[in-house]
Structure formats: structure tokens, C-alpha cells
Amino acid sequence: MNELLKSIFSASNFAVTPLLGSLFLSLLINLITVWVVVHFFYYPKGRRRDYYFTFIMLSVSIFMLIALLLQDSADMGIGAALGLFAIFGIIRYRTESVPIREMTYLFFLVALSVLNGKSDNLTLLEQIIVNAAFVVCVWICENFLTHSNEGCKFVKYDNIELIKPERYDELKADLEERLGLKIIRVEVGAVDFLTDMTMLRVFYLDSEKRIKSVDRQLKITPDQAFINP
């Protein structure tokens, strides 16, 4: 028993090794970079705390998996990264239909965590530059490619008489009165003459400049009728 306790509490088991220091530093860099991307770029437009939690926890999990299990492997890191992409591409979090923006951030942060987990051959400066490049890429995309005050909403519409091209202005006016929004343009989709229903894609002026995943809902299911996303 004494020998067991001595082996457990020996000084070698509590020594700070270079591997531990390198792992902690890489984890800190990865965590800070992921938090900056999620907090300052994703969340202001998405406003989804569930995905905020998912992105942070997933990035830490992927980083530790790559850094600890594949630390001595040169080629398995690439295979593991591709395998993770394939898994997420197949399951797509089947409990919920994940919007394309959230899926893009998911793959982006997985790639970032994999690179940080396999950064053994990079110096501290090189690792910081790589992570900064990821942040700059997100900043450019969010501020110059998706910076718009135009929102989009799918609407199931009942007055199909107004979908005729010559009555387009009447259609816009009717939608503005019903939705209480400033309509920019309207696109007509599928039309069901049996039920006198049509699917419209309505583009409106969004002063909040937020991406609302609920706008992409095509139908209201019974379990969503009393849920405010």
C-alpha cells in the first residue's frame, strides 16, 4: 500500500514537463482565438447562445483530441481532421436542422482547432500569425461580404391573385401591411392552385442587421408553435 501511495504521489507525477507547458500555451491560444471569432463575429448577428456554447466546447474537445491522442503521429492528424469533417458532414447534428451559417462556423472552428492541436512544428510567433490569419479572414467576410441591412423571410401566402407580375406593387403593399416591414423585393416560389397558396421569399429592410435563422422556416410544426427561438 505504501509503495502504491509513493508511486502515485511521487515528484515525477507532478513535474511540469515541456509537453505540458506547450500544450497549455497552444490551448490558451486556441481558446482565445475561438472566443474572439464566436463572441465578436458570430454572436452579434446570430444571437444563438446554444451555438455559442457548442462552438466553444467543441473546439476545446477537438483540440485536446488532436493534441493528446495524435501528438506523435505526423500523418494521422490529417486523416483525423478529414474524418471529423466527414462525420459532421454526415450527421449534421441530426437533432436539429443546423443553418448554413452555423455549419460554416462549425467547420471553420474545427479546422482551427485541428491546426492548433498539431502545431508541434510551429514557433509561438508562427502559431499566433496563423490564428490571426483566421481571425482576419472572418473579419473580412463578416464586414465586407455579409454586411447588409437586408433580411430575408419565407412566407406562405394565401392571396395568389396578387402574384401576377402586373400586380407586383399590390403584393408588396399587402405584405408590408401584414408584416409591418419595409419590403425591398418579393420572389414567388411554388404555387398550389388546389389550396390557393404560394410560397414567397420576402426581402425586407432589417434595421437590426441580424441573421435570424427563424426567417428560414418553411413551415410551422406542432412542436414549434409555442416556441420562441
Side-chain angles (χ1 to χ4, degrees):
M1 186 64 180
N2 291 334
E3 293 297 329
L4 178 61
L5 292 176
K6 287 181 181 180
S7 62
I8 294 175
F9 294 101
S10 62
S12 59
N13 287 337
F14 295 92
V16 178
T17 62
L19 175 62
L20 180 61
S22 175
L23 177 65
F24 177 78
L25 184 59
S26 296
L27 176 61
L28 183 62
I29 293 174
N30 182 74
L31 189 58
I32 291 175
T33 305
V34 170
W35 177 78
V36 168
V37 170
V38 175
H39 187 78
F40 292 103
F41 298 109
Y42 166 74
Y43 188 71
K45 291 185 179 181
R47 295 289 178 181
R48 292 288 301 270
R49 290 189 177 274
D50 50 350
Y51 284 115
Y52 193 118
F53 170 83
T54 300
F55 291 151
I56 298 294
M57 296 299 293
L58 185 67
S59 66
V60 173
S61 302
I62 296 299
F63 174 87
M64 298 301 289
L65 176 67
I66 297 297
L68 294 178
L69 295 183
L70 305 176
Q71 58 180 322
D72 296 326
S73 175
D75 299 328
M76 283 297 292
I78 299 175
L82 294 176
L84 290 170
F85 279 113
I87 291 172
F88 288 125
I90 294 173
I91 64 174
R92 290 195 59 184
Y93 279 22
R94 287 296 181 182
T95 56
E96 180 181 353
S97 179
V98 182
I100 187 63
R101 184 170 184 264
E102 278 69 15
M103 283 298 298
T104 302
Y105 268 98
L106 179 65
F107 285 121
F108 183 87
L109 295 175
V110 167
L112 176 63
S113 300
V114 169
L115 289 176
N116 283 324
K118 290 297 293 181
S119 60
D120 305 353
N121 299 325
L122 298 179
T123 64
L124 177 60
L125 179 60
E126 291 172 339
Q127 191 173 356
I128 292 175
I129 291 175
V130 169
N131 283 266
F134 272 78
V135 174
V136 170
C137 178
V138 178
W139 177 77
I140 292 175
C141 291
E142 288 287 1
N143 287 277
F144 297 100
L145 299 182
T146 62
H147 185 69
S148 175
N149 59 353
E150 183 181 278
C152 176
K153 185 186 296 289
F154 289 97
V155 177
K156 194 174 182 180
Y157 191 63
D158 57 350
N159 191 356
I160 63 173
E161 290 296 325
L162 296 183
I163 67 174
K164 298 176 182 178
E166 61 270 18
R167 304 188 67 178
Y168 178 74
D169 292 336
E170 295 180 56
L171 174 62
K172 285 182 60 178
D174 185 48
L175 288 171
E176 287 182 348
E177 182 180 356
R178 292 194 187 189
L179 297 175
L181 300 171
K182 178 62 178 178
I183 305 301
I184 300 174
R185 68 182 188 276
V186 181
E187 295 178 357
V188 180
V191 180
D192 188 347
F193 289 106
L194 295 178
T195 59
D196 288 340
M197 301 294 293
T198 182
M199 184 63 68
L200 303 179
R201 192 177 185 186
V202 180
F203 296 87
Y204 63 94
L205 190 64
D206 184 12
S207 58
E208 296 180 357
K209 297 181 180 181
R210 284 177 49 195
I211 296 177
K212 305 177 182 67
S213 59
V214 69
D215 279 350
R216 291 346 191 236
Q217 291 285 348
L218 297 179
K219 60 181 179 179
I220 300 176
T221 57
D223 60 331
Q224 293 173 331
F226 303 99
I227 297 176
N228 184 16

